[in-house]
Amino acid sequence: MPAPIRLRELIRTIRTARTQAEEREMIQKECAAIRSSFREEDNTYRCRNVAKLLYMHMLGYPAHFGQLECLKLIASQKFTDKRIGYLGAMLLLDERQDVHLLMTNCIKNDLNHSTQYVQGLALCTLGCMGSSEMCRDLAGEVEKLLKTSNSYLRKKAALCAVHVIRKVPELMEMFLPATKNLLSEKNHGVLHTSVVLLTEMCERSPDMLLHFRKLVPQLVRILKNLIMSGYSPEHDVSGISDPFLQVRILRLLRILGRSDDDSSEAMNDILAQVATNTETSKNVGNAILYETVLTIMDIKSESGLRVLAINILGRFLLNNDKNIRYVALTSLLKTVQTDHNAVQRHRSTIVDCLKDLDVSIKRRAMELSFALVNGNNIRGMMKELLYFLDSCDPEFKADCASGVFLAAEKYAPSKRWHIDTIMRVLTTAGSYVRDDSVPNLIQLITNSVEMHAYTVQRLYKALLDDISQQPLVQVSSWCIGEYGDLLVSGQCEEEEPIQDEVLDVLEGLLVSNLSTPVTRGYSLTAIMKLSTRFSSDANSVVSIYGSSIDVELQQRAVEYNALFKKYDHMRFYSEHCCFVQILPALQVQSTHPPCFTGSIYTSSLFYRFNLHVLYYLVSLLFQANDLLDLLGGNDVVPVIQTTLPTKPASAGGELLDLLGDLSLSTYSKNGLKIEFTFERANPNPNIAVITIHATNTTEADMTEFVFQAAVPKTFQLQLLSPSSNIVPALNQGSVTQVIRVLNPQKQQLRMRVKLTYTHKGSPIQDLAEVNNFPPQSWQ
Amino acid sequence: MIKAILIFNNHGKPRLSKFYEHYSEDTEQQIIRETFHLVSKRDENVCNFLEGGMLIGGSENKLIYRHYATLYFVFCVDSSESGLGILDLIQVFVETLDKCFENVCELDLIFHVDKVHNILAEMVMGGMVLETNMNEIITQVDAQNKMEKSEAGIAGAPARAVSAVKNMNLPEMPRNINIGDISIKVPNLPSFK
């Protein structure tokens, strides 16, 4: 078997591949060679093979068959082998493979090796991918190394301890004694990692936090030395002495000083010193300043210091360096809740950042602008934000639009301004607004009664310009349907459309390719509503859609047509009981009485239910014959109670009230009349609540009145106690009793009724059957 | 904590990928591709911070990157790391690579991936910053490389020879030897009979 090629050769070969397929072929060939080499258990070349395998892994090819080989390399005595073996372990292995546990023993031996670099390798691997079991086993070794005087090992042990604590938090106590003199180290590497270790321990356990608070003076001293000491070539980065360590110490001070007055006071001086003395021309200085600002904001610093901090952030905003501006905006966003007024001072700069070319900065500036909006600056801010909405990238539009709506809702100075703003949003970013903004807007418009005319005119104009933005179109068609009469009534400030024009526009929506099915539904309903308000006939339009492919549209068109045909003469009772006007009232979701939301498209089922009620109400107007045809005659002569629902369209119109008025008198004999009324006023839709009212038209009272009822087996009946047993004469009063019927299978309700009472001294008994309950009561 | 360190070129080919949190192999490749997508769209003079892609933790994690010639160095960190500090760390990393490889270029990274990993291991361990002093890092890496070489045996002889020559302290060879004008008097030798 020829010697396996070197890594370099392999890389060179792969680079000559011109296509992905060629590369894959080469790699497969090499993988096969490596596999056979592994099988031969050749120690000499294992290292080389694993190195090649790692390279192929980086390119994305599967390399799991090398995992065991890594273990063998780790167990070898040579440093070269161990190095590649540990690297392979870190790249290829993880907790989920069982193989990794085999490493534990090797690592344990290596942690006690004579060569520091081997120990370093072991610590590194354990710190990168050690599982909880491994950490538990080896924590003792790590702790021992934490106390060694070798700074190279000490710093690695510190970070390894952090990993152990993250995996097995209970072991934190174990490392406590070793931390005693970590901070007295001179070596910056050890100092740095020790501060990381202390930070991790303080973040995890409040007890540790209390314990380490006494280190604050020491930390302050170290920080002071760093700042005051002269030029130290070892740790210098662009003229500042070890900025990484400074930043770490500042972060630890932040955690220690949070909500503790004494520590905060001890830090005040040094923080002020850092804030004023650090050079800001380079990124390093700004990094330290930024960390200082965050610390000042978090601890209980004195107010002068806080103002200094926010001013520093304000200065950052004007810096040329984009990175500084970005971090400044991020931290201002965090502080805007607590120090609102101070941040307000920089509002103009923040608003300018909206015009920046950088996407990350724009997003931060937008979020911050929304946080700064309040009642005083709403007009100015909204102007800027709307301008931003016009010109920003599509990825921002949705968030910006929602933000504008929220802000407008909270702080709108007037209704007209509010509606104007929303319209502006709809016209500029209409396709990006959220779905629920359409019903919200409709609700808003309905509430502002005095603005109806203005709104419908503006919406009509907007519709003429552009019909591509669906939310705008939906709101406009709803408004035109509702307030179309205002549009053509002569109140228009500009050129007034005539009825036909309006209908044409709505028709245009129906046929346009840009309209979604939902929008078409809106416009069809609007046309139908207008047919009552306008004198022109919208029938033809609606009936076309009776054969539309869209089921929803078809259903609506057919039902509207039916309404038109049957009750055509009702059309003109627009003042009193125009049922078509009731339609919006019926589409109620009674969350906010007395206003209503037109959530037509979410409740087409609901809508159909409403339409049935509508039919029923309408049919109540007609003679008994008609009703008999509808309900089916039987031997009991029904006497219809013609209660016209006269609720105007804009009233709360809760469905329950309308149903509550429904009554069906089903028994009338010998002067005793019994009326049934229905309610569905409870959360369970399967239960119908029927109330009977018994009245007596004769001159004598009916005493010992007992009402009994029986229902078919699929139903369950519950009779509550009656109001009394005496039905007074001459309609002077009535006896009421509540019946609850559970109808889980939604079948036609039938009831057999037995009445017993004493009239003029003689007992009377009667049986009757009631079959003609209206469908709404049991559906 | 640093979640991942990625180096890829302008076309998205990975030159180094180190993850400090576990992802499956497929996810790792997807993360590299997604990060390349996000980073390559950026203009030259915008800020170096980005929200992390969906695969690597979304908006909780930040991508901090620097573009050097043909390579992107991307560090994916969470909120506990100072963003500006990481920018400096990337700079230190690149300067260290420069010192170790002598005017580092992309080819060096391509052919010596394992060495780059070793250098990185001295700087970042378990997702946390270990050492930031460039000289310290280089000293450690050199010492370990020497150990490797001493183990290499015969096969390492050429490499050792090369490095021996490199380390030789030769005095500066004079470039121009200016002897000046020498007039050599040629004696009149009697012709041989």
Side-chain angles (χ1 to χ4, degrees), chain A residues 194-211:
Chain A
S194 319
V195 172
V196 174
L197 177 58
L198 292 173
T199 311
E200 183 73 22
M201 290 168 96
C202 289
E203 273 176 347
R204 291 210 168 234
S205 147
D207 296 328
M208 293 285 181
L209 184 63
L210 286 169
H211 174 88

Side-chain angles (χ1 to χ4, degrees), chain A residues 681-750:
Chain A
N682 48 43
N684 189 341
N686 293 336
I687 295 183
V689 178
I690 306 173
T691 314
I692 59 146
H693 305 265
T695 45
N696 178 359
T697 51
T698 65
E699 309 99 357
D701 291 343
M702 296 174 178
T703 54
E704 289 162 31
F705 175 77
V706 174
F707 175 91
Q708 289 166 311
V711 289
K713 276 205 239 2
T714 51
F715 299 84
Q716 279 176 35
L717 184 75
Q718 182 188 22
L719 269 177
L720 304 182
S721 37
S723 57
S724 89
N725 308 40
I726 303 180
V727 189
L730 295 171
N731 289 337
Q732 283 166 19
S734 68
V735 168
T736 54
Q737 189 164 13
V738 175
I739 310 172
R740 290 161 70 93
V741 179
L742 177 65
N743 181 4
Q745 297 180 14
K746 303 266 187 237
Q747 291 189 353
Q748 158 89 40
L749 179 59
R750 288 168 21 226

Side-chain angles (χ1 to χ4, degrees), chain A residues 373-632:
Chain A
V373 166
N374 63 21
N376 295 333
N377 57 27
I378 177 78
R379 284 190 195 262
M381 288 294 275
M382 198 50 79
K383 228 195 319 228
E384 294 286 340
L385 287 167
L386 286 174
Y387 181 70
F388 174 68
L389 185 62
D390 274 338
S391 52
C392 68
D393 301 327
E395 60 206 40
F396 288 121
K397 291 210 181 194
D399 292 329
C400 192
S402 336
V404 166
F405 283 152
L406 273 169
E409 224 174 278
K410 272 198 277 199
Y411 301 113
S414 74
K415 286 232 159 88
R416 179 168 173 145
W417 182 92
H418 195 173
I419 291 186
D420 275 342
T421 309
I422 296 192
M423 282 207 45
R424 176 92 185 268
V425 173
L426 284 180
T427 45
T428 51
S431 14
Y432 299 98
V433 298
R434 286 210 323 260
D435 293 337
D436 64 349
S437 51
V438 171
N440 284 343
L441 180 55
I442 290 179
Q443 180 178 336
L444 176 69
I445 294 177
T446 322
N447 281 347
S448 37
V449 178
E450 68 281 5
M451 300 294 306
H452 284 167
Y454 171 74
T455 313
V456 72
Q457 284 155 23
R458 285 210 60 192
L459 283 172
Y460 179 72
K461 245 189 68 186
L463 203 56
L464 286 177
D465 288 330
D466 173 20
I467 59 170
S468 63
Q469 314 221 49
Q470 298 306 300
L472 177 65
V473 171
Q474 286 166 11
V475 175
S476 303
S477 33
W478 187 90
C479 275
I480 295 177
E482 272 303 295
Y483 310 120
D485 46 340
L486 292 174
L487 187 58
V488 297
S489 63
Q491 296 179 23
C492 212
E493 290 162 1
E494 301 160 13
E495 200 182 290
E496 183 182 290
I498 59 174
Q499 295 178 357
D500 282 336
E501 278 176 10
V502 177
L503 283 175
D504 280 340
V505 168
L506 286 175
E507 249 188 89
L509 288 177
L510 274 176
V511 301
S512 161
N513 283 338
L514 297 167
S515 305
T516 62
V518 170
T519 313
R520 292 211 176 97
Y522 268 93
S523 45
L524 193 62
T525 311
I527 293 179
M528 199 268 293
K529 288 188 206 172
L530 285 180
S531 68
T532 65
R533 297 172 218 273
F534 286 3
S535 45
S536 45
D537 188 17
N539 247 358
S540 49
V541 179
V542 175
S543 47
I544 292 176
Y545 284 87
S547 47
S548 155
I549 295 179
D550 185 334
V551 176
E552 175 72 25
L553 282 183
Q554 193 186 83
Q555 174 118 21
R556 289 193 191 199
V558 165
E559 286 169 346
Y560 291 152
N561 257 341
L563 267 180
F564 290 154
K565 264 193 289 213
K566 212 167 183 185
Y567 310 115
D568 205 37
H569 56 282
M570 302 302 306
R571 189 191 287 276
F572 297 102
Y573 294 151
S574 52
E575 289 336 280
H576 300 294
C577 51
C578 177
F579 298 102
V580 179
Q581 265 186 336
I582 297 175
L583 204 55
L586 292 179
Q587 282 150 351
V588 159
Q589 280 180 348
S590 52
T591 48
H592 306 288
C595 56
F596 56 92
T597 58
S599 48
I600 299 175
Y601 58 98
T602 54
S603 56
S604 54
L605 193 63
F606 195 61
Y607 154 84
R608 264 186 274 289
F609 175 49
N610 297 337
L611 209 54
H612 289 148
V613 177
L614 182 59
Y615 284 150
Y616 181 68
L617 295 175
V618 165
S619 59
L620 281 181
L621 284 180
F622 291 86
Q623 300 87 354
N625 294 337
D626 255 358
L627 191 57
L628 272 179
D629 288 341
L630 273 172
L631 302 179

